[in-house]
């Protein structure tokens, strides 16, 4: 096995790369280290990877097809593609929608164009998002649910990527699995995520903005569980020509107010909460049904939420110098 992994400097990507290297699997990592959030954090994630045997980093933008094709051409022995690079951020998609077209739509096409020309390719696993469920009110979210009422342009871009993969499976026989991630958290997480911002505000004695009061809830999924899901699925490709979609979630939603309480406890500070109306782009609740991925790989989330938050806060203290 040899893996081409996009988004190698990202939160999930760096953890997946490390897990593959721990298995002895060579990894070709691709990332453009963009400035959507602090590139210094991305470089810090990469430091351990770049010191490891079997890892190669290529800095480029997947939304530039010729540059990606040129890089991939030198690695014709790649057997698996893990495509995690994306322009993230639900609310930011209201500010700069073109960035989502460039990376999440055009980038998906560019990656699949390269993948279909790899002679030893066995499986493409790519990141989708729980955001595709949009304004769906039926809980828990199931892969069979309709996803035609997006709540944000970010959701549109991720659903477009899913449809692109479906067409490439049909036209070129590419076996693919799209993973709909549900609110991934943990050490080395993204600063633009709510839990990270809450921790920063609590530690600094600043107010925490809470949308929709006690109703707002998320299916928080710990990073180690997510890595286990990615690797478990990677080892089990579908038949040629099949593009399947699987939820990766904790199957146990938690209110955001409870999250804030756990963060405050671990940080040893009071949380000053300001309740404000929920933006129209934000989902009220998320909840993943995970029967499908369990049937395929045996995967189930294992990390208790309070322990996962404690591990995040321990890392947060060390990284932020608190």
């Amino acid at each position: 096995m040899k893996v081409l992994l996009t988004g190698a400097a990202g939160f999930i990507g760096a953890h997946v790369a490390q897990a593959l290297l721990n298995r002895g699997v060579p990894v070709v990592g691709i990332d453009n280290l963009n400035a959507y959030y602090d590139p210094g954090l991305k470089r810090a994630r990469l430091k351990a990877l770049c010191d490891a045997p079997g890892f190669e980093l290529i800095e480029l933008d997947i939304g530039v097809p010729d540059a990606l094709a040129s890089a991939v051409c030198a690695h014709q022995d790649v057997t698996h593609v893990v495509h995690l690079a994306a322009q993230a951020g639900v609310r930011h998609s209201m500010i700069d929608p073109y960035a989502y077209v460039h990376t999440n739509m055009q980038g998906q096409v560019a990656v699949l164009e390269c993948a279909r020309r790899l002679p030893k390719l066995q499986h493409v696993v790519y990141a989708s998002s729980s955001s595709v469920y949009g304004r769906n009110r039926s809980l828990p979210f199931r892969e069979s649910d309709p996803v035609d009422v997006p709540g944000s342009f970010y959701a549109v871009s991720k659903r477009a990527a899913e449809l692109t993969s479906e067409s490439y499976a049909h036209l070129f026989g590419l076996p693919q699995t799209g993973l709909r991630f549900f609110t991934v958290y943990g050490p080395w997480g993204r600063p633009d995520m709510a839990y990270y911002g809450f921790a920063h505000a609590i530690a600094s004695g600043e107010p925490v903005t809470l949308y929709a009061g006690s109703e707002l809830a998320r299916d928080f999924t710990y990073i180690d569980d997510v890595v286990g899901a990615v690797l478990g699925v990677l080892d089990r490709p579908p038949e040629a020509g099949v593009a399947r979609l699987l939820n990766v979630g904790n199957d146990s939603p938690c209110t955001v107010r409870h999250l804030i309480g756990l963060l405050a406890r671990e940080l040893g500070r009071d949380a000053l909460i300001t309740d404000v109306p929920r933006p129209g782009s934000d989902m009220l609740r998320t909840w993943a049904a995970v029967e499908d991925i369990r049937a395929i790989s045996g995967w189930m989330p294992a990390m208790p939420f309070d322990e996962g938050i404690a591990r995040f806060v321990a890392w947060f203290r060390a990284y932020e110098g608190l």
Side-chain angles (χ1 to χ4, degrees), residues 200-260:
H200 191 274
I202 294 168
S204 304
E206 300 170 357
V208 173
T209 300
L210 177 60
Y211 299 114
S214 61
E215 296 183 74
L216 195 68
R218 292 290 181 267
D219 201 344
F220 296 100
T221 317
Y222 190 68
I223 184 62
D224 290 0
D225 286 332
V226 169
V227 171
V230 173
L231 298 190
V233 167
L234 188 66
D235 292 336
R236 296 168 176 85
E239 297 178 359
V242 172
R244 65 191 178 195
L245 292 164
L246 300 172
N247 288 339
V248 177
N250 199 47
D251 192 21
S252 181
C254 174
T255 66
V256 176
R257 189 174 289 274
H258 179 59
L259 161 68
I260 293 170

Side-chain angles (χ1 to χ4, degrees), residues 12 27 42 60 68 79 118 159 169 188 193 246 278 321:
I12 300 175
V27 175
K42 299 177 183 182
L60 60 81
L68 181 63
T79 58
L118 289 169
R159 181 57 181 152
W188 295 101
M193 295 290 286
L246 300 172
R278 175 172 56 94

Side-chain angles (χ1 to χ4, degrees), residues 14-251:
H15 280 86
V16 170
Q18 188 62 65
L20 288 167
L21 292 169
N22 291 345
R23 281 185 171 192
V25 175
V27 175
V28 179
I30 291 177
D31 206 294
N32 69 342
L33 288 94
N34 72 17
Y36 170 65
Y37 63 84
D38 180 17
L41 175 57
K42 299 177 183 182
R43 294 192 183 279
R45 293 184 189 128
L46 285 171
K47 187 175 186 305
L49 298 178
C50 290
D51 291 341
F55 182 78
E56 177 184 348
L57 176 66
I58 304 173
E59 289 192 37
L60 60 81
D61 180 349
I62 62 163
V64 181
D66 289 347
L68 181 63
S70 177
V72 174
C73 185
H75 296 279
Q76 294 294 293
D77 54 344
V78 163
T79 58
H80 296 72
V81 173
V82 179
H83 173 36
L84 303 177
Q87 175 58 59
V90 169
R91 292 179 203 150
H92 188 67
S93 68
M94 299 173 65
I95 299 170
D96 185 12
Y98 298 107
Y100 296 77
V101 174
H102 177 81
T103 302
N104 299 358
M105 297 181 183
Q106 181 160 299
Q108 186 84 359
V109 175
V111 168
L112 294 179
E113 277 292 298
C114 290
R116 75 182 183 90
R117 292 177 168 84
L118 289 169
K120 297 183 178 181
L121 183 73
Q122 299 177 27
H123 194 187
V124 176
V125 174
Y126 68 92
S128 187
S129 168
S130 61
S131 294
V132 301
Y133 290 107
R135 290 170 281 159
N136 184 355
R137 296 181 181 273
S138 176
L139 293 170
F141 295 153
R142 300 184 182 279
E143 293 88 344
S144 57
D145 289 346
V147 285
D148 55 0
V149 284
S152 67
F153 190 70
Y154 171 70
V156 170
S157 71
K158 298 305 279 186
R159 181 57 181 152
E162 292 181 350
L163 293 171
T164 299
S165 282
E166 175 66 34
S167 69
Y168 269 72
H170 168 68
L171 294 171
F172 305 111
L174 286 181
Q176 296 176 70
T177 303
L179 299 178
R180 291 173 171 171
F181 295 128
F182 281 69
T183 315
V184 185
Y185 76 100
W188 295 101
R190 285 176 21 214
D192 65 309
M193 295 290 286
Y195 70 91
Y196 199 119
F198 293 156
H200 191 274
I202 294 168
S204 304
E206 300 170 357
V208 173
T209 300
L210 177 60
Y211 299 114
S214 61
E215 296 183 74
L216 195 68
R218 292 290 181 267
D219 201 344
F220 296 100
T221 317
Y222 190 68
I223 184 62
D224 290 0
D225 286 332
V226 169
V227 171
V230 173
L231 298 190
V233 167
L234 188 66
D235 292 336
R236 296 168 176 85
E239 297 178 359
V242 172
R244 65 191 178 195
L245 292 164
L246 300 172
N247 288 339
V248 177
N250 199 47
D251 192 21

